[in-house]
Amino acid sequence: MQALVLAAGKGTRMRSDFPKVLHGILGRPLAGYVLEILEELGITSPKVVIGSGAAQVRSFIEAGGKGRRNPVFILQREQKGTGHAVEMARKYFPGTQEEILIWPGDMPFLKRQTVREFIKRHKESGAEASALSSLQTDPAGYGRILRAGGRFYAIREELDASAAEKKIQEVNSGIYLFKTKPLFDALKKIRPANRKKEFYLTDTIEILSKEGRRLEAFALASEEEARGINSRQDLAAGIQIMKKREVEYHEERGVTFVAPDQTFVEPDVKIGRDTVIYPWCYIEAGVKIGKRCKIGPFAKIRRGTKIGDEAVIGSFVEVSRSRIGSKVLVKHLAYLGDAVVGEGTNIGAGAVTANFDGKNKHVTQIGKKVLIGSNTVLIAPVAVADRARTGAGSVVPRGTKIKKGQVVAGVPARPLAKNKKG
Ligand code: UD1
Ligand code: CA
């Protein structure tokens, strides 16, 4: 199956200088969600219509795929509507019998099972075109599914709908399956004779219906799944939807969230069983957290971080691109960036790895069972061997290598005479 993603629109209602499909939900742009769903469906080479901010959209998609995806970009220079966007792709679909899945770039919430079911129903029905529809308690803003005697025959946009049509609660999600030939034949006949003066893809339905073709609308998408992102309000609502999904995903795998509504977990995070996440944490994509850890309240765990089992990352702690061993305690007010911390180490309150020298980032190596005193600043690159200790307020200059069991203190930090306890 071939897929065509429509991602050229200006996104006028966002009032933004950035193309709409690059606006993010939990760190991932809308276009990223769409490509991810398509990939889950086995479509790795979708055709993507780009136009507004084309270069930016293109470079995001190319960078994000890491070679897994091979999108084909199609330029729509002027955005004259969804029908016009599909028209731009005509020459990329020379086959007549292919099925084409059309997907708006601003529809990130569809679940894989729903789309699979949609594809299955469409195939079983033998329809020449099917729309994935949804029953909405508040259908305002969407195109309405018009039926006569139950038979789907047209889609009416909100702006062009009569008062009676506006009451219809079955709406168009914007996701369709078309047989290629009827689609491109019908596209030749659409006209911008509507309030927006755009070429509407949705108008192909009535054209195909008048030709007596078999059409279906399957109301399989939940209210949530059928939401599109058109405005900043939609974006905020979308963040809530995705956040809830992510938290539920981890709850089902044995993670406790003390305050699910006040916790943000980006997609693609791994958290071990019996870990407890306290309120107001933000956990970025790609982070891995072990079992039986305690995270937060108010912790920010950033990309590239891996935390071992039974670690405690406490209040007002930020960890970025770091490997934290098991049973490490970082209980209050600390920053660890580009750090490697060995098992059982204790990082005191206010400790900071100064990992950035204004130009480059450097690594801080901390061994096992180390005690980093409160308010220690480790100016990276620094290496602290196992069981070493730094006194409260120490400033450890760059390039320092603290030896195994050594105790350092002061500004700049210097070894203390070894006391009997070692
Ligand atoms: C569209 C549907 C509507 C449906 C709704 C679901 C049409 C005419 N209407 O309305 O029935 O209920 O989606 O969310 O199709 N785009 C282009 N080029 C263009 C115009 C749009 O690529 O010239 C892209 C946009 O980037 C966007 C998608 O097509 O990703 C949909 O366009 P949008 O303007 O958001 O359509 P809606 O008004 O939401
Ligand atoms: Ca839309």
PDB file of all heavy atoms in Angstrom, residues 82-83 86 102 129 152-155 176 178 182-191 199-211 213 215:
ATOM      1  N   THR A  82      -6.566  20.861  -0.084  1.00  0.00           N
ATOM      2  CA  THR A  82      -6.165  19.451   0.035  1.00  0.00           C
ATOM      3  C   THR A  82      -6.274  18.700  -1.297  1.00  0.00           C
ATOM      4  O   THR A  82      -5.452  17.827  -1.588  1.00  0.00           O
ATOM      5  CB  THR A  82      -7.010  18.738   1.114  1.00  0.00           C
ATOM      6  OG1 THR A  82      -8.394  19.043   0.897  1.00  0.00           O
ATOM      7  CG2 THR A  82      -6.627  19.184   2.514  1.00  0.00           C
ATOM      8  N   GLY A  83      -7.267  19.074  -2.112  1.00  0.00           N
ATOM      9  CA  GLY A  83      -7.413  18.429  -3.425  1.00  0.00           C
ATOM     10  C   GLY A  83      -6.244  18.784  -4.331  1.00  0.00           C
ATOM     11  O   GLY A  83      -5.689  17.939  -5.030  1.00  0.00           O
ATOM     12  N   VAL A  86      -3.120  16.831  -3.370  1.00  0.00           N
ATOM     13  CA  VAL A  86      -3.093  15.458  -3.904  1.00  0.00           C
ATOM     14  C   VAL A  86      -2.803  15.492  -5.405  1.00  0.00           C
ATOM     15  O   VAL A  86      -2.066  14.663  -5.930  1.00  0.00           O
ATOM     16  CB  VAL A  86      -4.412  14.712  -3.588  1.00  0.00           C
ATOM     17  CG1 VAL A  86      -4.401  13.309  -4.198  1.00  0.00           C
ATOM     18  CG2 VAL A  86      -4.632  14.617  -2.074  1.00  0.00           C
ATOM     19  N   ILE A 102      -4.409   8.231   2.239  1.00  0.00           N
ATOM     20  CA  ILE A 102      -4.117   9.671   2.354  1.00  0.00           C
ATOM     21  C   ILE A 102      -4.186  10.074   3.821  1.00  0.00           C
ATOM     22  O   ILE A 102      -5.114   9.674   4.534  1.00  0.00           O
ATOM     23  CB  ILE A 102      -5.096  10.489   1.483  1.00  0.00           C
ATOM     24  CG1 ILE A 102      -4.851  10.115   0.018  1.00  0.00           C
ATOM     25  CG2 ILE A 102      -4.928  11.993   1.727  1.00  0.00           C
ATOM     26  CD1 ILE A 102      -5.645  10.922  -0.972  1.00  0.00           C
ATOM     27  N   ALA A 129     -13.547   4.120  -2.708  1.00  0.00           N
ATOM     28  CA  ALA A 129     -12.991   5.102  -1.781  1.00  0.00           C
ATOM     29  C   ALA A 129     -13.665   4.931  -0.434  1.00  0.00           C
ATOM     30  O   ALA A 129     -14.877   4.705  -0.371  1.00  0.00           O
ATOM     31  CB  ALA A 129     -13.217   6.518  -2.296  1.00  0.00           C
ATOM     32  N   PHE A 152     -23.184   6.616   2.180  1.00  0.00           N
ATOM     33  CA  PHE A 152     -22.273   7.773   2.217  1.00  0.00           C
ATOM     34  C   PHE A 152     -22.144   8.360   0.809  1.00  0.00           C
ATOM     35  O   PHE A 152     -21.806   7.646  -0.123  1.00  0.00           O
ATOM     36  CB  PHE A 152     -20.927   7.258   2.736  1.00  0.00           C
ATOM     37  CG  PHE A 152     -19.759   8.199   2.623  1.00  0.00           C
ATOM     38  CD1 PHE A 152     -19.865   9.555   2.948  1.00  0.00           C
ATOM     39  CD2 PHE A 152     -18.515   7.710   2.225  1.00  0.00           C
ATOM     40  CE1 PHE A 152     -18.749  10.396   2.870  1.00  0.00           C
ATOM     41  CE2 PHE A 152     -17.401   8.541   2.143  1.00  0.00           C
ATOM     42  CZ  PHE A 152     -17.531   9.891   2.461  1.00  0.00           C
ATOM     43  N   TYR A 153     -22.426   9.667   0.655  1.00  0.00           N
ATOM     44  CA  TYR A 153     -22.352  10.222  -0.706  1.00  0.00           C
ATOM     45  C   TYR A 153     -21.584  11.546  -0.803  1.00  0.00           C
ATOM     46  O   TYR A 153     -21.295  12.007  -1.915  1.00  0.00           O
ATOM     47  CB  TYR A 153     -23.753  10.388  -1.315  1.00  0.00           C
ATOM     48  CG  TYR A 153     -24.562  11.515  -0.710  1.00  0.00           C
ATOM     49  CD1 TYR A 153     -24.554  12.795  -1.268  1.00  0.00           C
ATOM     50  CD2 TYR A 153     -25.319  11.311   0.436  1.00  0.00           C
ATOM     51  CE1 TYR A 153     -25.280  13.833  -0.710  1.00  0.00           C
ATOM     52  CE2 TYR A 153     -26.053  12.330   1.008  1.00  0.00           C
ATOM     53  CZ  TYR A 153     -26.024  13.591   0.430  1.00  0.00           C
ATOM     54  OH  TYR A 153     -26.738  14.614   1.000  1.00  0.00           O
ATOM     55  N   ALA A 154     -21.265  12.179   0.339  1.00  0.00           N
ATOM     56  CA  ALA A 154     -20.532  13.451   0.231  1.00  0.00           C
ATOM     57  C   ALA A 154     -19.934  13.847   1.572  1.00  0.00           C
ATOM     58  O   ALA A 154     -20.321  13.322   2.622  1.00  0.00           O
ATOM     59  CB  ALA A 154     -21.460  14.559  -0.261  1.00  0.00           C
ATOM     60  N   ILE A 155     -18.967  14.785   1.510  1.00  0.00           N
ATOM     61  CA  ILE A 155     -18.423  15.398   2.731  1.00  0.00           C
ATOM     62  C   ILE A 155     -18.643  16.902   2.607  1.00  0.00           C
ATOM     63  O   ILE A 155     -18.309  17.499   1.574  1.00  0.00           O
ATOM     64  CB  ILE A 155     -16.909  15.095   2.891  1.00  0.00           C
ATOM     65  CG1 ILE A 155     -16.671  13.583   3.018  1.00  0.00           C
ATOM     66  CG2 ILE A 155     -16.350  15.840   4.098  1.00  0.00           C
ATOM     67  CD1 ILE A 155     -15.202  13.169   2.988  1.00  0.00           C
ATOM     68  N   TYR A 176      -8.151   8.712   4.299  1.00  0.00           N
ATOM     69  CA  TYR A 176      -8.959   7.995   3.303  1.00  0.00           C
ATOM     70  C   TYR A 176      -8.140   6.901   2.654  1.00  0.00           C
ATOM     71  O   TYR A 176      -6.915   6.944   2.634  1.00  0.00           O
ATOM     72  CB  TYR A 176      -9.408   8.910   2.145  1.00  0.00           C
ATOM     73  CG  TYR A 176      -9.745  10.313   2.522  1.00  0.00           C
ATOM     74  CD1 TYR A 176      -8.740  11.276   2.650  1.00  0.00           C
ATOM     75  CD2 TYR A 176     -11.072  10.694   2.746  1.00  0.00           C
ATOM     76  CE1 TYR A 176      -9.048  12.584   2.997  1.00  0.00           C
ATOM     77  CE2 TYR A 176     -11.389  12.000   3.094  1.00  0.00           C
ATOM     78  CZ  TYR A 176     -10.362  12.931   3.223  1.00  0.00           C
ATOM     79  OH  TYR A 176     -10.681  14.213   3.581  1.00  0.00           O
ATOM     80  N   PHE A 178      -8.181   5.343  -1.218  1.00  0.00           N
ATOM     81  CA  PHE A 178      -8.751   5.515  -2.558  1.00  0.00           C
ATOM     82  C   PHE A 178      -8.122   4.511  -3.500  1.00  0.00           C
ATOM     83  O   PHE A 178      -6.924   4.192  -3.366  1.00  0.00           O
ATOM     84  CB  PHE A 178      -8.389   6.894  -3.124  1.00  0.00           C
ATOM     85  CG  PHE A 178      -9.226   8.045  -2.644  1.00  0.00           C
ATOM     86  CD1 PHE A 178      -8.795   8.821  -1.565  1.00  0.00           C
ATOM     87  CD2 PHE A 178     -10.402   8.386  -3.298  1.00  0.00           C
ATOM     88  CE1 PHE A 178      -9.541   9.920  -1.147  1.00  0.00           C
ATOM     89  CE2 PHE A 178     -11.154   9.487  -2.883  1.00  0.00           C
ATOM     90  CZ  PHE A 178     -10.718  10.247  -1.800  1.00  0.00           C
ATOM     91  N   PRO A 182      -9.810   6.116  -9.980  1.00  0.00           N
ATOM     92  CA  PRO A 182     -10.982   6.963  -9.712  1.00  0.00           C
ATOM     93  C   PRO A 182     -10.631   8.255  -8.990  1.00  0.00           C
ATOM     94  O   PRO A 182     -11.207   9.310  -9.269  1.00  0.00           O
ATOM     95  CB  PRO A 182     -11.888   6.089  -8.839  1.00  0.00           C
ATOM     96  CG  PRO A 182     -11.288   4.746  -8.776  1.00  0.00           C
ATOM     97  CD  PRO A 182      -9.988   4.742  -9.495  1.00  0.00           C
ATOM     98  N   LEU A 183      -9.656   8.183  -8.071  1.00  0.00           N
ATOM     99  CA  LEU A 183      -9.260   9.391  -7.341  1.00  0.00           C
ATOM    100  C   LEU A 183      -8.744  10.461  -8.300  1.00  0.00           C
ATOM    101  O   LEU A 183      -9.236  11.596  -8.296  1.00  0.00           O
ATOM    102  CB  LEU A 183      -8.178   9.050  -6.307  1.00  0.00           C
ATOM    103  CG  LEU A 183      -7.445  10.254  -5.688  1.00  0.00           C
ATOM    104  CD1 LEU A 183      -8.395  11.119  -4.875  1.00  0.00           C
ATOM    105  CD2 LEU A 183      -6.276   9.799  -4.802  1.00  0.00           C
ATOM    106  N   PHE A 184      -7.766  10.084  -9.122  1.00  0.00           N
ATOM    107  CA  PHE A 184      -7.166  11.116  -9.974  1.00  0.00           C
ATOM    108  C   PHE A 184      -8.108  11.558 -11.097  1.00  0.00           C
ATOM    109  O   PHE A 184      -8.024  12.702 -11.552  1.00  0.00           O
ATOM    110  CB  PHE A 184      -5.781  10.668 -10.467  1.00  0.00           C
ATOM    111  CG  PHE A 184      -4.744  10.758  -9.375  1.00  0.00           C
ATOM    112  CD1 PHE A 184      -4.318   9.618  -8.697  1.00  0.00           C
ATOM    113  CD2 PHE A 184      -4.235  11.988  -8.982  1.00  0.00           C
ATOM    114  CE1 PHE A 184      -3.386   9.699  -7.665  1.00  0.00           C
ATOM    115  CE2 PHE A 184      -3.303  12.085  -7.946  1.00  0.00           C
ATOM    116  CZ  PHE A 184      -2.872  10.935  -7.283  1.00  0.00           C
ATOM    117  N   ASP A 185      -9.011  10.677 -11.508  1.00  0.00           N
ATOM    118  CA  ASP A 185     -10.034  11.107 -12.475  1.00  0.00           C
ATOM    119  C   ASP A 185     -10.960  12.144 -11.838  1.00  0.00           C
ATOM    120  O   ASP A 185     -11.265  13.179 -12.432  1.00  0.00           O
ATOM    121  CB  ASP A 185     -10.851   9.902 -12.971  1.00  0.00           C
ATOM    122  CG  ASP A 185     -10.026   9.021 -13.922  1.00  0.00           C
ATOM    123  OD1 ASP A 185      -8.922   9.467 -14.325  1.00  0.00           O
ATOM    124  OD2 ASP A 185     -10.477   7.892 -14.241  1.00  0.00           O
ATOM    125  N   ALA A 186     -11.384  11.864 -10.613  1.00  0.00           N
ATOM    126  CA  ALA A 186     -12.310  12.782  -9.926  1.00  0.00           C
ATOM    127  C   ALA A 186     -11.633  14.115  -9.614  1.00  0.00           C
ATOM    128  O   ALA A 186     -12.274  15.168  -9.657  1.00  0.00           O
ATOM    129  CB  ALA A 186     -12.840  12.135  -8.647  1.00  0.00           C
ATOM    130  N   LEU A 187     -10.327  14.065  -9.321  1.00  0.00           N
ATOM    131  CA  LEU A 187      -9.617  15.305  -8.974  1.00  0.00           C
ATOM    132  C   LEU A 187      -9.643  16.321 -10.117  1.00  0.00           C
ATOM    133  O   LEU A 187      -9.592  17.525  -9.885  1.00  0.00           O
ATOM    134  CB  LEU A 187      -8.161  14.991  -8.613  1.00  0.00           C
ATOM    135  CG  LEU A 187      -7.872  14.629  -7.158  1.00  0.00           C
ATOM    136  CD1 LEU A 187      -6.387  14.348  -6.990  1.00  0.00           C
ATOM    137  CD2 LEU A 187      -8.305  15.725  -6.187  1.00  0.00           C
ATOM    138  N   LYS A 188      -9.719  15.790 -11.365  1.00  0.00           N
ATOM    139  CA  LYS A 188      -9.769  16.702 -12.513  1.00  0.00           C
ATOM    140  C   LYS A 188     -11.049  17.533 -12.507  1.00  0.00           C
ATOM    141  O   LYS A 188     -11.132  18.563 -13.167  1.00  0.00           O
ATOM    142  CB  LYS A 188      -9.705  15.898 -13.820  1.00  0.00           C
ATOM    143  CG  LYS A 188      -8.318  15.353 -14.100  1.00  0.00           C
ATOM    144  CD  LYS A 188      -8.273  14.658 -15.446  1.00  0.00           C
ATOM    145  CE  LYS A 188      -6.878  14.143 -15.714  1.00  0.00           C
ATOM    146  NZ  LYS A 188      -6.866  13.000 -16.638  1.00  0.00           N
ATOM    147  N   LYS A 189     -12.043  17.028 -11.784  1.00  0.00           N
ATOM    148  CA  LYS A 189     -13.361  17.683 -11.844  1.00  0.00           C
ATOM    149  C   LYS A 189     -13.651  18.604 -10.663  1.00  0.00           C
ATOM    150  O   LYS A 189     -14.692  19.266 -10.669  1.00  0.00           O
ATOM    151  CB  LYS A 189     -14.450  16.593 -11.918  1.00  0.00           C
ATOM    152  CG  LYS A 189     -14.318  15.741 -13.177  1.00  0.00           C
ATOM    153  CD  LYS A 189     -15.339  14.624 -13.191  1.00  0.00           C
ATOM    154  CE  LYS A 189     -15.028  13.659 -14.338  1.00  0.00           C
ATOM    155  NZ  LYS A 189     -15.667  12.351 -14.134  1.00  0.00           N
ATOM    156  N   ILE A 190     -12.792  18.631  -9.667  1.00  0.00           N
ATOM    157  CA  ILE A 190     -13.128  19.496  -8.522  1.00  0.00           C
ATOM    158  C   ILE A 190     -12.845  20.965  -8.848  1.00  0.00           C
ATOM    159  O   ILE A 190     -11.971  21.288  -9.645  1.00  0.00           O
ATOM    160  CB  ILE A 190     -12.390  19.078  -7.223  1.00  0.00           C
ATOM    161  CG1 ILE A 190     -10.867  19.192  -7.374  1.00  0.00           C
ATOM    162  CG2 ILE A 190     -12.788  17.676  -6.782  1.00  0.00           C
ATOM    163  CD1 ILE A 190     -10.114  18.996  -6.066  1.00  0.00           C
ATOM    164  N   ARG A 191     -13.656  21.837  -8.284  1.00  0.00           N
ATOM    165  CA  ARG A 191     -13.523  23.279  -8.504  1.00  0.00           C
ATOM    166  C   ARG A 191     -13.499  24.003  -7.155  1.00  0.00           C
ATOM    167  O   ARG A 191     -14.131  23.544  -6.217  1.00  0.00           O
ATOM    168  CB  ARG A 191     -14.728  23.795  -9.318  1.00  0.00           C
ATOM    169  CG  ARG A 191     -14.845  23.195 -10.722  1.00  0.00           C
ATOM    170  CD  ARG A 191     -13.764  23.750 -11.676  1.00  0.00           C
ATOM    171  NE  ARG A 191     -13.781  23.042 -12.954  1.00  0.00           N
ATOM    172  CZ  ARG A 191     -12.988  22.008 -13.270  1.00  0.00           C
ATOM    173  NH1 ARG A 191     -12.093  21.572 -12.396  1.00  0.00           N
ATOM    174  NH2 ARG A 191     -13.067  21.412 -14.434  1.00  0.00           N
ATOM    175  N   PHE A 199      -9.364  24.066  -3.556  1.00  0.00           N
ATOM    176  CA  PHE A 199      -9.688  22.775  -4.183  1.00  0.00           C
ATOM    177  C   PHE A 199      -9.754  21.739  -3.067  1.00  0.00           C
ATOM    178  O   PHE A 199      -8.719  21.400  -2.491  1.00  0.00           O
ATOM    179  CB  PHE A 199      -8.615  22.393  -5.210  1.00  0.00           C
ATOM    180  CG  PHE A 199      -8.613  23.270  -6.431  1.00  0.00           C
ATOM    181  CD1 PHE A 199      -7.838  24.427  -6.482  1.00  0.00           C
ATOM    182  CD2 PHE A 199      -9.390  22.929  -7.548  1.00  0.00           C
ATOM    183  CE1 PHE A 199      -7.846  25.238  -7.607  1.00  0.00           C
ATOM    184  CE2 PHE A 199      -9.388  23.738  -8.687  1.00  0.00           C
ATOM    185  CZ  PHE A 199      -8.618  24.900  -8.706  1.00  0.00           C
ATOM    186  N   TYR A 200     -10.970  21.303  -2.760  1.00  0.00           N
ATOM    187  CA  TYR A 200     -11.166  20.362  -1.658  1.00  0.00           C
ATOM    188  C   TYR A 200     -11.051  18.922  -2.132  1.00  0.00           C
ATOM    189  O   TYR A 200     -11.800  18.495  -3.010  1.00  0.00           O
ATOM    190  CB  TYR A 200     -12.566  20.522  -1.059  1.00  0.00           C
ATOM    191  CG  TYR A 200     -12.791  21.725  -0.191  1.00  0.00           C
ATOM    192  CD1 TYR A 200     -14.097  22.132   0.111  1.00  0.00           C
ATOM    193  CD2 TYR A 200     -11.735  22.440   0.365  1.00  0.00           C
ATOM    194  CE1 TYR A 200     -14.337  23.219   0.931  1.00  0.00           C
ATOM    195  CE2 TYR A 200     -11.974  23.530   1.181  1.00  0.00           C
ATOM    196  CZ  TYR A 200     -13.271  23.914   1.468  1.00  0.00           C
ATOM    197  OH  TYR A 200     -13.508  24.987   2.278  1.00  0.00           O
ATOM    198  N   LEU A 201     -10.201  18.164  -1.487  1.00  0.00           N
ATOM    199  CA  LEU A 201     -10.120  16.723  -1.752  1.00  0.00           C
ATOM    200  C   LEU A 201     -11.471  16.064  -1.458  1.00  0.00           C
ATOM    201  O   LEU A 201     -11.907  15.137  -2.148  1.00  0.00           O
ATOM    202  CB  LEU A 201      -9.029  16.111  -0.851  1.00  0.00           C
ATOM    203  CG  LEU A 201      -8.891  14.601  -0.865  1.00  0.00           C
ATOM    204  CD1 LEU A 201      -8.551  14.095  -2.262  1.00  0.00           C
ATOM    205  CD2 LEU A 201      -7.820  14.167   0.131  1.00  0.00           C
ATOM    206  N   THR A 202     -12.125  16.582  -0.434  1.00  0.00           N
ATOM    207  CA  THR A 202     -13.413  16.012   0.001  1.00  0.00           C
ATOM    208  C   THR A 202     -14.475  16.056  -1.098  1.00  0.00           C
ATOM    209  O   THR A 202     -15.404  15.250  -1.093  1.00  0.00           O
ATOM    210  CB  THR A 202     -13.903  16.783   1.240  1.00  0.00           C
ATOM    211  OG1 THR A 202     -13.700  18.188   1.008  1.00  0.00           O
ATOM    212  CG2 THR A 202     -13.111  16.394   2.474  1.00  0.00           C
ATOM    213  N   ASP A 203     -14.334  16.986  -2.039  1.00  0.00           N
ATOM    214  CA  ASP A 203     -15.326  17.081  -3.129  1.00  0.00           C
ATOM    215  C   ASP A 203     -15.274  15.879  -4.083  1.00  0.00           C
ATOM    216  O   ASP A 203     -16.215  15.644  -4.837  1.00  0.00           O
ATOM    217  CB  ASP A 203     -15.120  18.374  -3.937  1.00  0.00           C
ATOM    218  CG  ASP A 203     -15.640  19.599  -3.176  1.00  0.00           C
ATOM    219  OD1 ASP A 203     -16.306  19.414  -2.126  1.00  0.00           O
ATOM    220  OD2 ASP A 203     -15.359  20.731  -3.617  1.00  0.00           O
ATOM    221  N   THR A 204     -14.170  15.136  -4.045  1.00  0.00           N
ATOM    222  CA  THR A 204     -14.096  13.966  -4.934  1.00  0.00           C
ATOM    223  C   THR A 204     -15.164  12.931  -4.568  1.00  0.00           C
ATOM    224  O   THR A 204     -15.611  12.171  -5.413  1.00  0.00           O
ATOM    225  CB  THR A 204     -12.701  13.273  -4.864  1.00  0.00           C
ATOM    226  OG1 THR A 204     -12.439  12.912  -3.507  1.00  0.00           O
ATOM    227  CG2 THR A 204     -11.596  14.184  -5.383  1.00  0.00           C
ATOM    228  N   ILE A 205     -15.559  12.942  -3.301  1.00  0.00           N
ATOM    229  CA  ILE A 205     -16.531  11.929  -2.845  1.00  0.00           C
ATOM    230  C   ILE A 205     -17.860  12.084  -3.593  1.00  0.00           C
ATOM    231  O   ILE A 205     -18.409  11.119  -4.136  1.00  0.00           O
ATOM    232  CB  ILE A 205     -16.737  12.025  -1.313  1.00  0.00           C
ATOM    233  CG1 ILE A 205     -15.426  11.724  -0.570  1.00  0.00           C
ATOM    234  CG2 ILE A 205     -17.882  11.111  -0.845  1.00  0.00           C
ATOM    235  CD1 ILE A 205     -14.900  10.299  -0.722  1.00  0.00           C
ATOM    236  N   GLU A 206     -18.360  13.317  -3.645  1.00  0.00           N
ATOM    237  CA  GLU A 206     -19.651  13.525  -4.301  1.00  0.00           C
ATOM    238  C   GLU A 206     -19.547  13.218  -5.801  1.00  0.00           C
ATOM    239  O   GLU A 206     -20.474  12.667  -6.403  1.00  0.00           O
ATOM    240  CB  GLU A 206     -20.146  14.960  -4.079  1.00  0.00           C
ATOM    241  CG  GLU A 206     -21.629  15.095  -4.374  1.00  0.00           C
ATOM    242  CD  GLU A 206     -22.284  16.268  -3.640  1.00  0.00           C
ATOM    243  OE1 GLU A 206     -21.548  17.087  -3.039  1.00  0.00           O
ATOM    244  OE2 GLU A 206     -23.524  16.355  -3.693  1.00  0.00           O
ATOM    245  N   ILE A 207     -18.395  13.532  -6.382  1.00  0.00           N
ATOM    246  CA  ILE A 207     -18.189  13.240  -7.814  1.00  0.00           C
ATOM    247  C   ILE A 207     -18.239  11.730  -8.042  1.00  0.00           C
ATOM    248  O   ILE A 207     -18.947  11.237  -8.939  1.00  0.00           O
ATOM    249  CB  ILE A 207     -16.845  13.844  -8.300  1.00  0.00           C
ATOM    250  CG1 ILE A 207     -16.936  15.371  -8.278  1.00  0.00           C
ATOM    251  CG2 ILE A 207     -16.459  13.319  -9.684  1.00  0.00           C
ATOM    252  CD1 ILE A 207     -15.613  16.099  -8.375  1.00  0.00           C
ATOM    253  N   LEU A 208     -17.551  10.988  -7.209  1.00  0.00           N
ATOM    254  CA  LEU A 208     -17.523   9.521  -7.353  1.00  0.00           C
ATOM    255  C   LEU A 208     -18.904   8.929  -7.071  1.00  0.00           C
ATOM    256  O   LEU A 208     -19.325   7.973  -7.729  1.00  0.00           O
ATOM    257  CB  LEU A 208     -16.483   8.909  -6.407  1.00  0.00           C
ATOM    258  CG  LEU A 208     -15.024   9.268  -6.733  1.00  0.00           C
ATOM    259  CD1 LEU A 208     -14.090   8.804  -5.630  1.00  0.00           C
ATOM    260  CD2 LEU A 208     -14.597   8.663  -8.073  1.00  0.00           C
ATOM    261  N   SER A 209     -19.605   9.530  -6.123  1.00  0.00           N
ATOM    262  CA  SER A 209     -20.950   9.046  -5.795  1.00  0.00           C
ATOM    263  C   SER A 209     -21.886   9.222  -6.989  1.00  0.00           C
ATOM    264  O   SER A 209     -22.659   8.322  -7.328  1.00  0.00           O
ATOM    265  CB  SER A 209     -21.457   9.809  -4.580  1.00  0.00           C
ATOM    266  OG  SER A 209     -22.815   9.548  -4.379  1.00  0.00           O
ATOM    267  N   LYS A 210     -21.790  10.386  -7.634  1.00  0.00           N
ATOM    268  CA  LYS A 210     -22.650  10.651  -8.802  1.00  0.00           C
ATOM    269  C   LYS A 210     -22.344   9.694  -9.950  1.00  0.00           C
ATOM    270  O   LYS A 210     -23.210   9.424 -10.782  1.00  0.00           O
ATOM    271  CB  LYS A 210     -22.496  12.104  -9.256  1.00  0.00           C
ATOM    272  CG  LYS A 210     -23.279  13.039  -8.341  1.00  0.00           C
ATOM    273  CD  LYS A 210     -23.241  14.477  -8.815  1.00  0.00           C
ATOM    274  CE  LYS A 210     -24.088  15.341  -7.881  1.00  0.00           C
ATOM    275  NZ  LYS A 210     -23.550  16.706  -7.788  1.00  0.00           N
ATOM    276  N   GLU A 211     -21.116   9.197  -9.990  1.00  0.00           N
ATOM    277  CA  GLU A 211     -20.775   8.203 -11.017  1.00  0.00           C
ATOM    278  C   GLU A 211     -21.226   6.805 -10.629  1.00  0.00           C
ATOM    279  O   GLU A 211     -20.936   5.838 -11.334  1.00  0.00           O
ATOM    280  CB  GLU A 211     -19.247   8.176 -11.225  1.00  0.00           C
ATOM    281  CG  GLU A 211     -18.707   9.437 -11.874  1.00  0.00           C
ATOM    282  CD  GLU A 211     -17.169   9.491 -11.880  1.00  0.00           C
ATOM    283  OE1 GLU A 211     -16.537   8.503 -11.463  1.00  0.00           O
ATOM    284  OE2 GLU A 211     -16.625  10.539 -12.294  1.00  0.00           O
ATOM    285  N   ARG A 213     -20.213   5.077  -8.011  1.00  0.00           N
ATOM    286  CA  ARG A 213     -19.146   4.240  -7.440  1.00  0.00           C
ATOM    287  C   ARG A 213     -19.467   3.875  -5.996  1.00  0.00           C
ATOM    288  O   ARG A 213     -20.151   4.609  -5.293  1.00  0.00           O
ATOM    289  CB  ARG A 213     -17.836   5.022  -7.448  1.00  0.00           C
ATOM    290  CG  ARG A 213     -17.534   5.600  -8.790  1.00  0.00           C
ATOM    291  CD  ARG A 213     -16.260   5.071  -9.270  1.00  0.00           C
ATOM    292  NE  ARG A 213     -15.864   5.741 -10.489  1.00  0.00           N
ATOM    293  CZ  ARG A 213     -14.967   5.222 -11.297  1.00  0.00           C
ATOM    294  NH1 ARG A 213     -14.427   4.047 -11.029  1.00  0.00           N
ATOM    295  NH2 ARG A 213     -14.605   5.869 -12.377  1.00  0.00           N
ATOM    296  N   LEU A 215     -18.846   3.706  -2.248  1.00  0.00           N
ATOM    297  CA  LEU A 215     -18.109   4.509  -1.259  1.00  0.00           C
ATOM    298  C   LEU A 215     -18.482   4.069   0.148  1.00  0.00           C
ATOM    299  O   LEU A 215     -19.606   3.650   0.387  1.00  0.00           O
ATOM    300  CB  LEU A 215     -18.485   5.988  -1.412  1.00  0.00           C
ATOM    301  CG  LEU A 215     -18.274   6.584  -2.802  1.00  0.00           C
ATOM    302  CD1 LEU A 215     -18.903   7.965  -2.868  1.00  0.00           C
ATOM    303  CD2 LEU A 215     -16.790   6.669  -3.118  1.00  0.00           C
TER     304      LEU A 215
END
